[in-house]
Amino acid sequence: MSTYMTGDIVAASARGHPVEGIYITDRDGMAVLKLKSGYNIGVDHETCTLVRRAGDQPAPAVPTVTQDENLPELAIISTGGTIASKIDYRTGAVTSQFTADDILRAVPGLTTVARYRAEVLATILSENMTPSTWQALARAAHAAVSDGAKGVIVTHGTDTLAYSASALSFMLDTPAPVVFVGSQRSADRPSSDNVMNAMCAAAAARSDLGEVAVAMHATTDDDLCAVHRGTRVRKMHTSRRDAFQSHEMAPVATVAYPSLKVDLSPEAVRRGETEPALHADLEERCGLLYFYPGMPEEAVRVYEDFKGLVIAGTGLGHVSSGCIGALREMVDAGTTVVMTSQCLHGRVCDRVYDTGRDLLAAGVVEGEDMLPETALTKLMWVLGNVDDTEEARRLMATDLKGEIKRRSDYGL
Amino acid sequence: MDFKALGLMAGIEIHQQLDTKEKLFCHCPTTLRETEEHTGEFVRYLHATVSEMGEVDRAAAEEMMNRRQFRYFAYDTTCLVENDEEPPAPMNQEALEIALQVAKTFEMHPVEQVHTMRKLVIDGSNTSGFQRTAMVALAGVLPGDGEVETICLEEEAAQRVVDGTFSLDRLGIPLVEITTSPCMHTPEAVQETARHIGMVLRSTGRVKRGLGTIRQDVNVSIKDGARVEIKGVQELDLIAEVVRREVTRQVNLLAIRDELRARNASVGEETHDVTALFAETNSSILKRAKSILAVVLPGFAGLVGREVQPGRRLGTEISDYVKKCGLGGIFHTDELPAYGVTAEEVAMLRAHLGAADGDAVILISGSVEKAACGAKQVRHRARLALEGVPEETRKMLDEGNTAYMRPLPGAARMYPETDVLPVTITDERWSAVEVPELLSDLARRMEEELGLDPAVARQAAYSEHLPLFRAAVQAGIRPNLAARTVLGTLKELSRAGVAVEAVADQDVLTVLAAVEAGEVAKEAVPDLLTEVAGGTPAAEAVEEHAGGVSAEDLAAIVAKIVADRIEFVQDKQMRALGPLMGVVMEEVRGKVDGKKVSEALRAEISRVI
């Protein structure tokens, strides 16, 4: 390991040619130096000698954020993720380490839309989220709304953003919008979608919406954000700006950029339609299983001790005949099993084919047209809030927060 | 001009596109497209970001003064990486190999671990707002005392279609950037060095050819002047003139500075709103402006209008700065009355501002926001005039003049590309890199080995058709015939509108082989290639032209032509040979070698006179 510290001035040899630069870090056994030109190169550690230690360099001045007291107040709850990421100078990797105030500095335009109170709930990558983070998030959002915030913005990593949004949809009754937002391209690049997404999220959080939603790019263009219902949204692309899509319904709103004009859809829940309420209990012993041809029965039995299991089955909602016995035993033992479809679009119907009828006979609940991930967070919430199995089965088949539609529209 | 006495220091950066199969950080082909072929388009904004050192780059900050929406054209040959919607692929090793080859030719030191950086560029030419670039080697030698400082492997930027619209086909094509030290002291030396580096690059046989595939940036400074980087000189022959004109500009700006200092000139903080003053004006520009602002420059009178380059004045330089605010330019009192502004209005303006005769007044008009931005830029550039020559990035104009683009960027614009892992260049890899034969050496060798005329040898060596020429010689075609066809005929046919790009190298070889085998005359080559370009298979075309005219047939044709023109022949005697050659050649349409025609004709003429 290196004896140098980031910022030290080091002399070295690049295959025989003398160089001098700022020591950055060690990488794959070599010392990384930043040359005067700004380029980094890796050099043999053995050739390095210290020229001088890094001085106590003054930290760059942090601009103060000035807020307009005449604007409505929004709460920003920060959890980490790409929208709040920056480059770690030492490792060269992208990490989440922004505070909510940093977001206001990174997107100065936000202060023209509202004034903000900010809270850092977590600084984690979204794959490290847990149901307990969702609970903390639900409590924080509820507190903010109860305390008079006009709306809430939750900054979040995009990979599991849809899980969090659907979980909060069930845990919260909110008269004000709770808008999740993320970015697909890191905040340190001039092309980051964080600016537009954050601006649109703020506009949505100030609007007449009254539900949990997700605001992200509607297309690859920087001209429109879509606001998706929390229970109906899915990340459909690994990297595009418009990765988030509403399933089986149109977005509940759009926000034009840069005008920030918000258009609510007729289906959007309006501000003030409900009283604020928090039901933050969750049953964490719930699983989500993606069925595949040839899946051994043991794979199902892994979930035997779970309270609930969502299956992403094939087509209309099937698993192989060989797995049905295990499912029957689990249901008999008290596990609530819900069937959804890998097709994502469309509705489960287990009354068409034999295996489907066997599944119904085994006690599996048809998950209607719910997204598998939404079915999972809903099952956690339902089992966290009702003890009676039959009531749980009934609730799973009932639309609670716009996650189930009775009719399958044509054309979506 | 005595450039040495003026302390001229110049260096160049050469950007050369590489002819790789795929782009530098994705798997798209390196094909350029016609813009009308685009299959999609999208719009984006870019935002200046803080660098890893906690600063905003000054060039980036200036670009941000005028927030602009950019439009991009996408193609079926571009992908989400160009769209800035997918992380980059690992660095293209074919491109790195070429960069190493060039580095070795200049006897450079390759870095042990290549790190890809992001260079902030937010003028819209990169969808990401940065250009990926990696330093590959350091410290090489040039003929004379020259030094190559570095060679970097970079991705090409998107090409501007018009204003804020860019085409993504070019974005990501690998290029090498070769930077020399400021080791040149005359304009001619700069041009010569550029020529040499270009020759070395072409020696690899793996660089793209044609307009726009190589660009030179020239760095120029003189004693007491400042480093100015002139971007994108595409024509080699203009480089010396660009340097000369930049030196002239710096000399003139220094003279203006000295004069300003002698006059005790200054630039105040104040901007005056004179919109109301021009309420009744007949100037069409001022009439439609929402806001007209004035800046007084005490002591500047006469100097704003002074020429710094042919046809360009200090006023033009100020105007270039103002254009960054989205305005068209300025009016200044050294050129007024003009443009519909009357002498009375100028007098009224001066009186209103209390401007003395020795003071210059600059007018800025436009929207309230843009005019305010423009006034700030006027004061900024005027202050720089008091200091002399500002450090700038400039773009080339016609004939070698230059105009302001942006401040010189600093190291604050570079930060690591976290999505690309470093590449280690092992000793084994470096040892295995082969140095190509320089084209200059090749030309000499071909001259000796193939007995070519020196000019033809040089032309063959430097031609982009060198591989075809070599293949022809390899196949036993006489070098002169090969050179004539490959370097001359193809070009002439192309100029005449023949679609020679449809002629495959193999077709050319088939035709030349037929000539060598005596199946067709060499005069038939243009006709044959034209037919091939039109879709006839080469073998078929050859067959059509081959044979058909025996020695007897030729003798008969010649005898008839001479008999028909017997008076002319008897009158002109042997001098009739030239004019009749054309007539016979027309008749035998390249089926007989010109030499044989000449012999037969000579014999026949001798017989009849």
Side-chain angles (χ1 to χ4, degrees), chain B residues 169-322:
Chain B
D169 53 338
R170 204 181 70 174
L171 180 64
I173 291 179
L175 55 84
V176 287
E177 182 201 61
I178 295 169
T179 307
T180 74
S181 62
C183 54
M184 292 154 250
H185 306 291
T186 65
E188 293 71 27
V190 182
Q191 189 156 315
E192 238 357 271
T193 305
R195 191 183 303 281
H196 175 75
I197 293 174
M199 185 273 291
V200 170
L201 287 164
R202 286 199 301 279
S203 298
T204 62
R206 297 165 84 183
V207 300
K208 290 212 183 269
R209 306 287 294 259
L211 192 69
T213 57
I214 186 164
R215 296 189 301 277
Q216 283 95 189
D217 295 351
V218 189
N219 283 294
V220 181
S221 70
I222 60 169
K223 199 166 55 193
D224 296 334
R227 185 162 84 85
V228 163
E229 182 175 327
I230 300 154
K231 300 291 270 186
V233 185
Q234 293 201 10
E235 290 157 71
L236 191 62
D237 293 339
L238 256 182
I239 290 180
E241 183 61 16
V242 168
V243 176
R244 277 192 283 272
R245 291 204 185 192
E246 179 55 29
V247 172
T248 307
R249 180 179 161 269
Q250 297 203 10
V251 167
N252 286 332
L253 285 175
L254 290 173
I256 289 173
R257 177 199 67 181
D258 294 344
E259 176 70 21
L260 286 171
R261 286 181 179 174
R263 292 184 189 179
N264 209 12
S266 64
V267 179
E269 284 299 325
E270 216 176 341
T271 298
H272 307 268
D273 190 335
V274 293
T275 317
L277 218 55
F278 289 94
E280 305 295 325
T281 187
N282 283 323
S283 158
S284 56
I285 295 173
L286 294 183
K287 213 188 298 186
R288 62 168 185 264
K290 288 264 181 297
S291 170
I292 305 170
L293 301 179
V295 173
V296 182
L297 300 177
F300 275 68
L303 295 177
V304 179
R306 185 179 288 185
E307 206 168 68
V308 292
Q309 274 186 331
R312 291 179 55 85
R313 297 148 212 288
L314 177 59
T316 326
E317 301 246 329
I318 295 173
S319 174
D320 288 342
Y321 272 61
V322 168

Side-chain angles (χ1 to χ4, degrees), chain A residues 329-341:
Chain A
E329 288 172 34
M330 284 165 66
V331 173
D332 290 347
T335 304
T336 304
V337 179
V338 179
M339 180 61 70
T340 59
S341 175

Side-chain angles (χ1 to χ4, degrees), chain B residues 62-75:
Chain B
E62 184 165 307
E63 289 290 350
M64 283 306 292
M65 287 196 314
N66 192 19
R67 189 177 67 159
R68 283 193 300 157
Q69 191 191 56
F70 301 110
R71 179 173 296 276
Y72 296 98
F73 288 166
Y75 301 82

Side-chain angles (χ1 to χ4, degrees), chain A residues 195-242:
Chain A
V195 172
M196 177 175 142
N197 288 349
M199 294 292 285
C200 291
R206 208 183 59 173
S207 75
D208 266 341
L209 197 65
E211 59 181 308
V212 178
V214 173
M216 293 287 284
H217 267 67
T219 66
T220 189
D221 294 277
D222 283 353
D223 63 357
L224 191 75
C225 273
V227 183
H228 310 277
R229 174 161 291 161
T231 55
R232 275 295 185 188
V233 65
R234 198 165 195 280
K235 184 175 181 178
M236 294 299 287
H237 197 280
T238 57
S239 54
R240 277 180 62 136
R241 284 164 169 73
D242 56 352

Side-chain angles (χ1 to χ4, degrees), chain B residues 567-579:
Chain B
E567 283 177 21
F568 175 74
V569 172
Q570 280 167 348
D571 179 35
K572 296 282 180 189
Q573 302 279 306
M574 279 319 284
R575 280 173 292 133
L577 183 67

Side-chain angles (χ1 to χ4, degrees), chain B residues 50-63:
Chain B
V50 174
S51 81
E52 57 180 344
M53 308 298 271
E55 305 159 44
V56 173
D57 179 64
R58 58 183 176 179
E62 184 165 307
E63 289 290 350

